[in-house]
């Protein structure tokens, strides 16, 4: 066998592997939901995976926009190309590149007072802070924000990525719009590898089930059983600050901190109930 034949066979093998890879990838590729939601406790990796997912979806839509613009340019029909350039909006700072940051997501966007460009991606970190389960009588939540979520695919045709510590924290009306939620636990990041336990929570009508062998009905807030080990490559772990809200705590005043002097104490910590003693939450 000549060297030319060997090179030809090697090239043929490489091409076959590449074709097989893309065929398998296409068949295994899951449909991306309009709303992607993650839940999990502190340090579970929900923000890390949310940012990674949002950046991935944003870059995918941006590539499509650039390809379409290039196609119109090749045909010398630039004047006919009027598609809006998609953007990434987020309520936490996300670094897209060395010179580009995400656009600040405002309440006006979520309440249909300011327009979002077509095919854009919205990252709403800690959605329960904006639409809490206790906001069941707030029209801005159950009417206006509900319309934003309900018709997001019609209005923007992009993606929403969100997270919270527990799906029960999210307003029920909004929670019903989320088909699937990924519940996370015990995240460990080594270099660019993210290892974690996860399970899929399906919300259908009034029933919430967790994908397991027996499809048991569980509450992700109360148990960590039936978790599946997962891992993925994450290249955007430095795109955001995992303690980005820490500056809010800077306004809390310092005070004297007395130490205990014996093993016994008669003091019980009680949250004040009277109006005069109620501390207002941080709002700035």
């Amino acid at each position: 066998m000549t060297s030319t034949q060997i090179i030809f066979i090697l090239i043929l093998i490489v091409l076959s592997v590449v074709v097989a890879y893309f065929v398998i990838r296409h068949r295994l590729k899951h449909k991306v939901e309009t709303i992607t939601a993650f839940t999990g406790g502190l340090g579970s990796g929900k923000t890390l995976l949310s940012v990674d997912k949002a950046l991935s979806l944003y870059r995918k839509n941006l590539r499509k926009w650039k390809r379409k613009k290039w196609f119109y340019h090749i045909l010398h029909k630039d004047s006919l190309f009027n598609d809006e350039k998609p953007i990434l909006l987020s309520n936490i700072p996300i670094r897209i590149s060395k010179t580009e940051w995400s656009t600040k997501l405002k309440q006006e966007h979520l309440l249909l007072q300011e327009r979002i460009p077509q095919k854009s991606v919205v990252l709403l970190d800690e959605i329960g802070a904006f639409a809490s389960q206790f906001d069941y009588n707030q029209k801005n939540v159950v009417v206006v924000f509900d319309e934003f979520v309900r018709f997001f695919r019609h209005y923007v045709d992009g993606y929403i990525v969100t997270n919270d510590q527990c799906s029960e924290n999210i307003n029920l009306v909004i929670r019903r719009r989320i088909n699937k939620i990924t519940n996370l636990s015990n995240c460990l990041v080594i270099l660019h590898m993210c290892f974690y336990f996860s399970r899929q929570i399906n919300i259908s009508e009034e029933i919430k089930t967790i994908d397991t062998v027996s499809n048991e009905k569980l509450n992700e807030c109360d148990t960590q059983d039936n978790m599946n080990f997962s891992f993925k490559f994450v290249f955007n772990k430095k795109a955001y600050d995992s303690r980005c809200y820490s500056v809010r705590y800077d306004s809390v005043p310092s005070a004297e901190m007395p130490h205990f002097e014996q093993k016994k104490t008669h003091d019980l910590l009680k949250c004040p109930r009277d109006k005069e003693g109620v501390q207002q939450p941080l709002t700035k």
Side-chain angles (χ1 to χ4, degrees):
M1 185 180 294
T2 65
S3 58
T4 304
Q5 291 175 323
I6 293 175
I7 293 175
F8 177 77
I9 292 174
L10 290 176
I11 294 174
L12 189 62
I13 292 174
V14 171
L15 289 175
S16 300
V17 171
V18 171
V19 171
Y21 168 77
F22 281 103
V23 170
I24 295 173
R25 181 184 177 187
H26 176 73
R27 292 193 175 186
L28 295 180
K29 189 176 181 180
H30 299 291
K31 177 182 177 295
V32 180
E33 300 284 350
T34 300
I35 305 176
T36 300
F38 297 95
T39 62
L42 302 176
S44 61
K46 61 182 182 297
T47 306
L48 174 65
L49 295 183
S50 296
V51 170
D52 184 75
K53 187 69 174 180
L55 283 170
S56 175
L57 293 173
Y58 162 69
R59 286 166 177 159
K60 182 185 76 169
N61 281 0
L62 185 62
R63 285 194 298 269
K64 289 182 178 179
W65 179 84
K66 288 181 177 180
R67 283 197 298 266
K68 189 174 181 180
K69 184 179 180 181
W70 176 83
F71 181 75
Y72 273 79
H73 178 71
I74 292 297
L75 297 177
H76 303 287
K77 296 183 177 181
D78 299 80
S79 59
L80 299 178
F81 182 76
N82 55 7
D83 290 11
E84 296 176 293
K85 183 179 180 180
I87 62 174
L88 173 62
L89 300 97
S90 62
N91 60 327
I92 62 173
I94 298 177
R95 191 162 195 165
I96 300 173
S97 65
K98 291 183 178 180
T99 59
E100 185 182 5
W101 290 80
S102 60
T103 302
K104 187 175 182 180
L105 179 66
K106 300 185 292 185
Q107 67 179 25
E108 287 81 4
H109 294 127
L110 303 177
L111 298 180
L112 300 175
Q113 296 171 358
E114 291 189 17
R115 194 174 182 280
I116 294 176
Q118 292 293 300
K119 304 291 184 179
S120 294
V121 177
V122 172
L123 171 63
L124 180 53
D125 186 64
E126 299 290 349
I127 186 175
F130 186 84
S132 167
Q133 60 169 327
F134 300 108
D135 294 328
Y136 51 84
N137 60 350
Q138 298 295 321
K139 289 187 177 181
N140 275 339
V141 173
V142 299
V143 178
V144 186
F145 183 54
D146 177 57
E147 180 182 343
F148 174 84
V149 176
R150 182 177 188 175
F151 294 105
F152 186 82
R153 183 171 175 271
H154 294 263
Y155 294 169
V156 181
D157 196 20
Y159 298 101
I160 297 175
V161 182
T162 189
N163 60 63
D164 205 297
Q165 293 188 21
C166 177
S167 66
E168 301 295 337
N169 295 336
I170 307 171
N171 182 273
L172 178 61
V173 175
I174 305 303
R175 190 166 70 237
R176 287 171 176 165
R177 307 291 179 200
I178 306 174
N179 294 329
K180 285 188 177 182
I181 298 174
T182 302
N183 181 230
L184 305 170
S185 178
N186 300 326
C187 174
L188 175 64
V189 179
I190 301 177
L191 297 178
H192 292 288
M193 288 292 294
C194 179
F195 302 91
Y196 57 94
F197 288 89
S198 67
R199 57 188 173 187
Q200 292 295 320
I201 301 173
N202 303 313
I203 299 178
S204 175
E205 296 296 337
E206 299 299 323
I207 302 173
K208 182 176 72 172
T209 60
I210 296 179
D211 285 351
T212 60
V213 176
S214 58
N215 206 32
E216 299 177 44
K217 297 176 184 178
L218 298 171
N219 189 325
E220 79 268 25
C221 300
D222 300 330
T223 179
Q224 292 187 353
D225 297 331
N226 302 300
M227 303 287 276
N228 300 313
F229 179 73
S230 306
F231 71 93
K232 74 183 302 292
F233 288 98
V234 177
F235 297 98
N236 305 300
K237 61 180 181 178
K238 293 184 178 181
Y240 77 105
D241 185 348
S242 62
R243 299 184 64 243
C244 60
Y245 293 118
S246 62
V247 291
R248 289 169 53 85
Y249 199 62
D250 294 342
S251 62
V252 177
S254 300
E256 182 183 357
M257 296 185 179
H259 296 275
F260 286 108
E261 297 178 354
Q262 57 183 1
K263 293 183 178 180
K264 302 289 188 181
T265 181
H266 60 77
D267 294 329
L268 292 176
L269 284 177
K270 292 185 178 181
C271 187
R273 297 292 187 268
D274 57 298
K275 293 183 179 179
E276 293 76 14
V278 174
Q279 174 65 38
Q280 295 300 317
L282 304 178
T283 56
K284 294 183 179 181

